[in-house]
Amino acid sequence: MPALDRKLFRDLLHLWGQGLAIALVVACGIAIFVAMQTNYQSLQLSQINYYDQYRFAQVFGQLKRAPESVVTQIQAIPGVAQVQTRVVVDVILDVPGRQEPVTGRLISIPEQQTPMLNELYIRQGRYIEPGASDEVLVSEVFANANHLQLGDRLGAVINGRWQSLHIVGIALSPEYVYEIRGSDIFPDNQRFGVLWMGRKALGTAFNLDGAFNDISLSLLPQTDTAEVIFRLDKLLEPYGALGAYDREDQISNRFLSDEIIQLRTHGTVIPAIFLGIGAFLLNIVLTRLIGTQRDQIAVLKAFGYSNWAIGEHFLKFVLAIVALGAVLGTLTGLWLGAALTKVYANFYHFPVLRYEVSPAMVTGAILISGGAAILGAFGAVRRAISLPPAEAMRPEPPAHFRQTLIERWGLQRWLSPVGRIILRNLERKPIQSMFSMLGISLAVALLVMGGFSQDAMQYLMDSQFHTVQRDDVTIVFNEPRPARTRDEVTHLPGVLYAEPFRVVAARLRFEHRSHKIGIMGIKPDTELRQLVDRHLKPVNLPLDGLLLSSKLADILGVQPGDRLTVEVLEGSRPTRTIPVAGLVDELIGVSAYMDLDALNRLMREGATISGAFLAVDEHQLDELYALLKRTPAVASVSLRKAMLQQFQQTIAQSQGVITTIQVVFACIIAFGVVYNAARIALSERGRELATLRIIGFSKAQVAVILLGEQAVLLIAAIPLGLVLGYGISALMSLLYNTELYRFPLVITRASYAFAVVVILIAGLLSGWLVRRQCDRLDLVAVLKTRE
């Protein structure tokens, strides 16, 4: 073994504690990078393959009713490759073993199995038999959530008639990778499911034989999607079209694509912080090592070793530590990535969600970490090879004495000799002290950011499901009903109070921007659906004009006082110019509200409602559910409590896993930074501390001098870390600001306190370890001169 390699081995053994701490920091960064990036690649590849293989449509549209003869005109639109017409209807299901009414979405499929858009993957069972009007395929996630098996039967109210449906197959569709109702934000797989039924049977049941109410298109390459949507809307407008939209706005795809984007972002920002801190620590350690080996460097140069050989030797020291971190980080990242893939498989449903590991990505992670380490060590290595042998043979000159700021202000008389020594040493090495503070503060910031994720999630749940949505049950009718229907709803079993609402599909336009949404009309004195501002204070519903959610206002680029063009997409399809009366701040989805009477006047339809929010006596829920299951006029039922539970099991679960990983890694980095700072201080000042021991200072006083400096840095770094944590959390809040949901910038005192407690514990543990080493200083060996 070459002499320099033997020296490298001895250096690594001597600094094994610091090297291990740095390797763990590097490992954390690589683990997060590998876990997030492999999940990003796995989801993205699964999405692309599934969409291509099973012909996921590119344009979607719903309408009232159109004859099949229109298909020829649709196919003639330039750029349209394939047209798939369907019948799609929501019905109430009676699922065995479930008391609550369940909403089922019936989607027609050809009687004979043929290639089609949004092709089904049959996981179990078989395709429906031609002419079997009661046979259905059910979605896999719905079947699993309700323990349904092949051969089971479901009850359904189909166009006012009770019918028993026979399950012959369990399937998946690219249209429902994230299975959710269009009006919901979170999936409720126990109470909403997709069923596929023969086209003839479903069309006949809903008077749509030879007609359709849903359409999907695939397009030729390089086709202008917006132009196709414009032509399709014009063509279907006489048939009650509700506005076509492209794949990007299809809700299942939107959720999946947003998750993929966030994984990519999360897998870039956080690892960069960890690897940056690792590079910073390596620079400090290497600078200290070079400072203590000045004489050795001089001897090596005197014996003919070149600058390149010496530089390579110190770079090997860096790369050895990074290599350990890379191995640990890669293995941990692959394990975490596989575990996260299983979590995502619970609510993103593919025929196969394979955990994909790209060798190029893993190699890239290792190269990135190595590059960050070399960059951090570059300055220290350059100083090592630039030392002339004659100068390096001499001890490093002592620091130039000058009065400190404390002494110039005359405050030293209030300090003990130990306190003066501590402050003098800190002020004479301002750059080193500043970097130590920065490293500790970044660890605090990561802990704060982990707490922010949990706080924002809890705030989102509380504000949405306890302040905004206060109803127990929401019912939606299969078509608009007269306002007197509210009185009938009020007399349902267990209903304490009912508030009607009207939802009208419309396209809002402002300048060149537009957005399709359902305008919700409610009463000004509503109690079960609160309109609030960003401080959760109630917002009054104006008698005229629109209230928009803040996110929708941002999308449209409007402010209160601006006038929107409202194109209604149903009924007589009026177009009106309506002012924006104000904004509400909702964290889930986007909304537009209007006074119920004003919306009825806009529609010129009289007093009409689409559904009702209900406050219900929980002791009579079973009786209410039983009646709703058999009520033909009810198309869907939503339960607030169930939505809250599903939210906690979907987004909250995935965010919780990621946050837990982040907090654990932040604790590791906190210890790594604090321990390294203390250990380096001991190595750099061993001679001074031994001298103090010789002239009469006790072990306790010497330990206080050493650890007091670290305590001052730690205490000074905590406020800076809290501020940095707030800033990084604000950045993450912007990254999680999507149309589907927003993360508010909310950090509780408990999260700040947790970050402070963790960093203090890391400081105490590091101090205890360094104190033991300080007490065992070999005074004779340390005081030996190097000349």
Side-chain angles (χ1 to χ4, degrees), residues 63 231-242 569 571 573:
L63 57 149
R231 289 173 176 264
L232 182 63
D233 283 342
K234 286 296 184 183
L235 187 58
L236 295 179
E237 185 174 319
Y239 304 103
L242 299 178
L569 301 176
R573 307 176 76 89

Side-chain angles (χ1 to χ4, degrees), residues 607-785:
T608 306
I609 63 176
S610 302
F613 304 118
L614 308 180
V616 179
D617 180 358
E618 63 179 12
H619 297 99
Q620 298 186 54
L621 280 175
D622 292 345
E623 188 177 352
L624 175 64
Y625 293 156
L627 182 59
L628 290 176
K629 288 180 182 180
R630 301 275 180 168
T631 304
V634 177
S636 67
V637 177
S638 301
L639 311 177
R640 180 176 61 92
K641 185 177 180 180
M643 285 193 290
L644 179 58
Q645 291 174 345
Q646 291 300 317
F647 174 82
Q648 294 170 330
Q649 293 173 9
T650 52
I651 294 178
Q653 180 185 13
S654 62
Q655 288 293 330
V657 171
I658 294 172
T659 300
T660 300
I661 295 171
Q662 184 176 301
V663 169
V664 170
F665 285 178
C667 293
I668 293 174
I669 198 173
F671 174 77
V673 170
V674 176
Y675 175 76
N676 264 281
R679 186 65 181 83
I680 289 168
L682 175 61
S683 299
E684 288 179 334
R685 306 191 54 220
R687 185 181 179 86
E688 299 175 27
L689 298 175
T691 302
L692 292 174
R693 287 282 310 281
I694 293 296
I695 64 176
F697 279 71
S698 67
K699 288 183 178 181
Q701 288 176 312
V702 169
V704 168
I705 292 173
L706 174 64
L707 299 179
E709 294 179 22
Q710 306 310 310
V712 171
L713 292 175
L714 185 68
I715 294 172
I718 287 175
L720 176 60
L722 298 180
V723 173
L724 284 175
Y726 184 88
I728 297 174
S729 299
L731 174 62
M732 298 303 293
S733 179
L734 292 175
L735 295 176
Y736 282 102
N737 188 352
T738 69
E739 185 177 332
L740 296 175
Y741 60 90
R742 275 79 61 196
F743 268 21
L745 183 55
V746 175
I747 307 175
T748 64
R749 294 179 180 178
S751 294
Y752 286 125
F754 175 78
V756 172
V757 169
V758 168
I759 208 72
L760 289 177
I761 291 175
L764 291 173
L765 180 59
S766 302
W768 177 71
L769 293 174
V770 174
R771 167 68 188 271
R772 292 179 60 194
Q773 296 172 348
C774 181
D775 289 344
R776 293 199 298 264
L777 277 177
D778 186 338
L779 302 183
V780 176
V782 171
L783 288 171
K784 284 182 178 177
T785 183

Side-chain angles (χ1 to χ4, degrees), residues 545-598:
L546 283 167
L547 283 182
L548 304 182
S549 59
S550 300
K551 182 62 179 179
L552 180 57
D554 290 340
I555 293 172
L556 293 171
V558 298
Q559 296 178 350
D562 291 336
R563 300 185 70 85
L564 285 173
T565 300
V566 179
E567 300 174 3
V568 176
L569 301 176
E570 58 181 81
S572 60
R573 307 176 76 89
T575 298
R576 298 284 186 272
T577 300
I578 301 177
V580 178
L583 302 180
V584 295
D585 201 62
E586 295 181 351
L587 299 175
I588 297 179
V590 293
S591 306
Y593 295 99
M594 197 171 181
D595 178 80
L596 178 57
D597 295 333

Side-chain angles (χ1 to χ4, degrees), residues 413-489:
R413 63 179 179 272
W414 301 102
L415 299 175
S416 66
V418 170
R420 296 178 197 175
I421 293 173
I422 291 173
L423 294 179
R424 186 178 295 128
N425 285 325
L426 289 174
E427 190 170 340
R428 286 175 179 170
K429 295 183 178 179
I431 295 178
Q432 180 177 319
S433 299
M434 181 183 68
F435 278 117
S436 296
M437 283 176 54
L438 180 61
I440 297 171
S441 63
L442 284 174
V444 176
L446 285 173
L447 290 166
V448 171
M449 190 172 65
F452 154 72
S453 299
Q454 297 286 7
D455 294 339
M457 190 69 64
Q458 188 62 49
Y459 182 89
L460 192 155
M461 288 190 295
D462 290 341
S463 62
Q464 185 66 29
F465 296 109
H466 297 291
T467 303
V468 176
Q469 294 179 236
R470 305 170 69 180
D471 58 290
D472 299 314
V473 178
T474 301
I475 61 173
V476 178
F477 304 131
N478 52 18
E479 60 182 28
R481 299 279 170 175
R484 64 176 180 273
T485 308
R486 175 196 175 181
D487 297 329
E488 300 173 15
V489 171

